[in-house]
Amino acid sequence: MRTAPTPQLSTERTDPHPQFTRGTPLAGLDEVPWDEIQDARGSAAAIPVLLDRIARGDAETARTALGELRQRVCRYGFVVEQATAATVPFLWELAQRPEVSCRAHIIELLGSIAGARQWESTAAVYPKLLNRRENPVVWERAARRAVRARREAIERLMAEDDTEITRATTELARRLGE
């Protein structure tokens, strides 16, 4: 009796973004001295774990981790922290990974960071804030610069088929004056 031949599986990648796979760690994550900088809850040492959960977790895990990360780096959607600028490049990377389930929410977070002016507004009324050793106005400006530094990704994100991603990206581009 003859049997049908076993089909050979292709070894050619069909992933449009071969550099990003679910198991791919975020490049440079371990190079940031997270335990030496502060987020809204104190030491920023938890940020790499949260970023990793967003990158590798299922939809619920990623969404929960992003919610916690948001509270640590951009409280209330407009108060940035010392660790925010260091976090932004990883948020941009995650926003471009097709396997990340909460990409539109990540882009919204980048928009919140880009629009943050809480500390500058406070310093305009209370200039002594600028004389503090840890100057939050500097953190805010650095965070906005970090968002702007990676804005070349906007064009790629605008080309996505996902309307939620394009809507969030359009809002981010508006905030950046693009």
Side-chain angles (χ1 to χ4, degrees):
M1 175 181 215
R2 292 180 52 168
T3 59
T6 306
Q8 295 294 316
L9 297 176
S10 172
T11 58
E12 188 175 318
R13 288 190 65 108
T14 58
D15 182 355
H17 302 280
Q19 72 274 28
F20 301 134
T21 62
R22 178 133 333 257
T24 305
L26 293 164
L29 191 61
D30 57 349
E31 295 171 17
V32 177
W34 297 106
D35 57 341
E36 296 174 20
I37 57 178
Q38 300 290 306
D39 65 20
R41 297 198 178 142
S43 170
I47 290 179
V49 174
L50 294 170
L51 289 167
D52 190 61
R53 287 182 186 158
I54 295 165
R56 300 179 195 225
D58 58 37
E60 186 176 333
T61 300
R63 189 172 41 253
T64 301
L66 183 60
E68 186 173 337
L69 181 69
R70 176 183 288 274
Q71 290 306 309
R72 288 176 172 273
V73 299
C74 192
R75 282 181 300 160
Y76 316 118
F78 58 86
V79 180
V80 301
E81 301 295 332
Q82 185 182 26
T84 305
T87 306
V88 166
F90 303 107
L91 293 172
W92 271 117
E93 183 178 337
L94 291 169
Q96 296 174 75
R97 288 186 174 196
E99 75 278 5
V100 173
S101 60
C102 54
R103 294 168 61 209
H105 298 293
I106 293 169
I107 297 165
E108 290 168 356
L109 175 55
L110 287 166
S112 294
I113 294 167
R117 301 275 189 294
Q118 176 66 27
W119 294 118
E120 282 183 355
S121 299
T122 302
V125 176
Y126 186 68
K128 287 184 179 183
L129 179 67
L130 299 172
N131 296 330
R132 294 176 60 189
R133 186 174 66 85
E134 293 183 358
N135 187 336
V137 174
V138 171
W139 305 339
E140 195 171 70
R141 290 177 181 160
R144 287 197 312 264
R145 277 193 310 273
V147 173
R148 284 190 157 298
R150 306 275 175 127
R151 69 184 180 271
E152 75 279 352
I154 288 175
E155 189 175 323
R156 286 189 301 279
L157 292 167
M158 291 293 286
E160 297 265 344
D161 290 333
D162 186 319
T163 57
E164 195 177 357
I165 289 173
T166 56
R167 179 200 49 76
T169 305
T170 299
E171 177 60 25
L172 173 58
R174 186 191 65 74
R175 286 203 173 193
L176 293 174
E178 301 282 316

